Amino acid sequence: MRKTTTTLADGRELIYFDDTAPYVGGTATRELRDSRDPAPVAVTGTMRYDVLTGEWVALASHRNSRTFLPAPDECPLCPTRPGRPATEIPADDYDVAVFENRFPSFALGAQPPSPEHVDGEALWPQRAAAGRCEVVCFTSDHDRGLAQLPVSRVRTVLAALVDRTRALSALPGIAQVYCFENRGEEIGVTLRHPHGQIYAYPALPARTEALLRQSRTHHRRTGRVLLRDVLDAERRAGTRMVIEAEHWSAYVPAAARWPVELHLAPHRDVPDLTELTDDELDELAALYRDILTRLDRYFDGVTALPYIAGWHQAPIGADRGLGRLHLQVFSLMRAPHRMKFLAGSESGMGAWISDTTPEAIAARFRAVAPDRGTP
């Protein structure tokens, strides 16, 4: 793989990750000059502390004007091609590309708000939403999702995530790096081009805080890492296991809350993507595509299941040893073309009610396994 870094016209970083000739093993270079003259990127986001929950809430009103479901010939994630508007990627083709989000929820240039407390009230601290948000374009093909790419390209996508996790984790003030993909308009996707995102958070998200609370309690009681024990227990039980490979296992968690949910975890204890070996990444590329293929077979008559796939990585700092890398993939679709709406109990009280059982989810995932041997 070859990595090439450049700067867009408004100062944002763009990185090409190439795995094909003549960019790998040759002298050719992707187009590095951005011909546009865009307006400056908004970096006005703030965060307010919710004293009732102990969570930080990001306020990013500039995102309300972000690009929304443009026509295919106006897609900002496609390559820049003759006769079409210039896009975020100046090259006329690319393998994998990563760039800073033009409508970031978190940005390094965000300035501290004044005063330090909303309305001068000590109950409501506020701070700059100072982090970083990046977009990961999996392919230049507008109509070809991650599950339809060759394993070699999925491997390049993973290499890009490793690279960006390492770089973003080294930035000052970053608490955690989260790599994820939203797919499907039902999920809230605003750009149909196959892509993911990376958030470098300045504060730990609520799910991570909850996991750390449980992990600390478990460690005090047993001296062991909770996520390690969960994986071992799922493998012993076997009832919700979907895939057991050399380096990775995929299972439906015992208390799965989403109508479709799967976790993928390495057998070796690693905090994040940067600690994986080449062998582990090679196997992961094939398994990741396998899982995404099963998603598209999960419901009869649904060929593109809307889903969220996110890499939970260890926090940066004192609690890093309690974290353990794992992928969570889930969908809000509870039946063909019927979505689970987070209504009164879930949204109002956070009291989850599942429409199925984890064992039934696992059985379906096993039943829709793809054919082996596809490159």
Side-chain angles (χ1 to χ4, degrees):
M1 187 194 73
R2 180 181 176 185
K3 175 184 174 183
T4 307
T5 303
T6 188
T7 303
L8 296 173
D10 55 14
R12 290 176 296 135
E13 190 173 29
L14 165 68
I15 309 169
Y16 296 108
F17 294 89
D18 285 303
D19 56 27
T20 56
Y23 304 99
V24 175
T27 59
T29 302
R30 297 289 188 188
E31 176 60 57
L32 304 179
R33 187 182 66 86
D34 182 3
S35 63
R36 303 171 300 169
D37 185 20
V41 175
V43 291
T44 57
T46 59
M47 301 178 74
R48 292 184 178 182
Y49 184 72
D50 185 347
V51 67
L52 301 180
T53 65
E55 300 168 11
W56 285 94
V57 178
L59 310 179
S61 58
H62 57 275
R63 284 179 52 78
N64 213 23
S65 60
R66 66 189 183 274
T67 307
F68 182 77
L69 299 178
D73 60 356
E74 297 178 350
C75 174
L77 307 187
C78 284
T80 295
R81 288 175 173 155
R84 293 188 177 184
T87 73
E88 295 281 54
I89 303 168
D92 62 1
D93 199 9
Y94 63 86
D95 292 338
V96 176
V98 178
F99 61 86
E100 289 182 74
N101 198 321
R102 181 163 175 72
F103 301 93
S105 302
F106 308 98
L108 292 179
Q111 296 300 307
S114 181
E116 294 182 359
H117 297 84
V118 179
D119 298 328
E121 293 286 349
L123 279 175
W124 305 317
Q126 58 181 345
R127 57 187 287 191
R132 178 147 156 159
C133 297
E134 298 184 344
V135 177
V136 183
C137 299
F138 302 145
T139 171
S140 61
D141 189 335
H142 184 83
D143 301 310
R144 199 175 184 195
L146 194 55
Q148 286 76 52
L149 297 178
V151 171
S152 59
R153 179 57 48 79
V154 178
R155 180 66 173 82
T156 303
V157 171
L158 292 173
L161 299 185
V162 168
D163 179 277
R164 303 316 303 149
T165 294
R166 181 178 291 111
L168 297 179
S169 297
L171 294 175
I174 299 304
Q176 187 178 31
V177 176
Y178 181 57
C179 308
F180 64 98
E181 179 194 2
N182 299 327
R183 188 180 76 165
E185 294 173 32
E186 300 92 336
I187 295 295
V189 164
T190 58
L191 297 174
R192 297 185 179 93
H193 192 106
H195 72 287
Q197 299 181 66
I198 307 175
Y199 275 23
Y201 295 113
L204 292 179
R207 182 178 175 87
T208 301
E209 289 280 20
L211 175 58
L212 288 175
R213 286 195 300 271
Q214 294 298 101
S215 297
R216 292 188 197 105
T217 300
H218 184 80
H219 191 266
R220 284 195 298 267
R221 187 174 66 250
T222 68
R224 298 191 299 270
V225 175
L226 177 59
L227 285 168
R228 167 86 259 172
D229 282 0
V230 167
L231 174 62
D232 290 346
E234 290 288 1
R235 296 181 73 187
R236 284 196 303 271
T239 52
R240 290 169 299 278
M241 292 300 300
V242 176
I243 301 172
E244 286 196 84
E246 181 179 357
H247 301 292
W248 297 83
S249 283
Y251 61 91
V252 178
R257 60 182 60 193
W258 300 102
V260 180
E261 183 172 0
L262 188 72
H263 291 195
L264 176 66
H267 295 163
R268 192 169 61 90
D269 292 340
V270 294
D272 60 29
L273 290 164
T274 70
E275 297 293 329
L276 294 175
T277 66
D278 285 342
D279 287 344
E280 288 167 334
L281 285 165
D282 289 344
E283 183 176 87
L284 173 59
L287 291 180
Y288 200 177
R289 196 182 68 167
D290 177 308
I291 288 170
L292 297 182
T293 300
R294 294 182 197 227
L295 288 175
D296 288 343
R297 297 179 174 187
Y298 193 89
F299 289 121
D300 292 336
V302 179
T303 58
L305 186 77
Y307 66 76
I308 297 172
W311 284 102
H312 293 271
Q313 307 195 81
I316 300 163
D319 288 318
R320 188 166 178 80
L322 296 176
R324 195 178 190 278
L325 177 70
H326 64 286
L327 174 71
Q328 179 192 27
V329 183
F330 62 95
S331 177
L332 281 68
M333 186 170 283
R334 60 179 177 83
H337 307 294
R338 294 183 181 180
M339 303 299 290
K340 175 180 177 63
F341 293 101
L342 305 187
S345 184
E346 288 93 348
S347 292
M349 294 300 289
W352 214 266
I353 301 170
S354 176
D355 298 293
T356 182
T357 67
E359 290 73 23
I361 298 171
R364 182 58 179 166
F365 268 121
R366 290 191 292 264
V368 294
D371 299 330
R372 298 295 183 181
T374 304

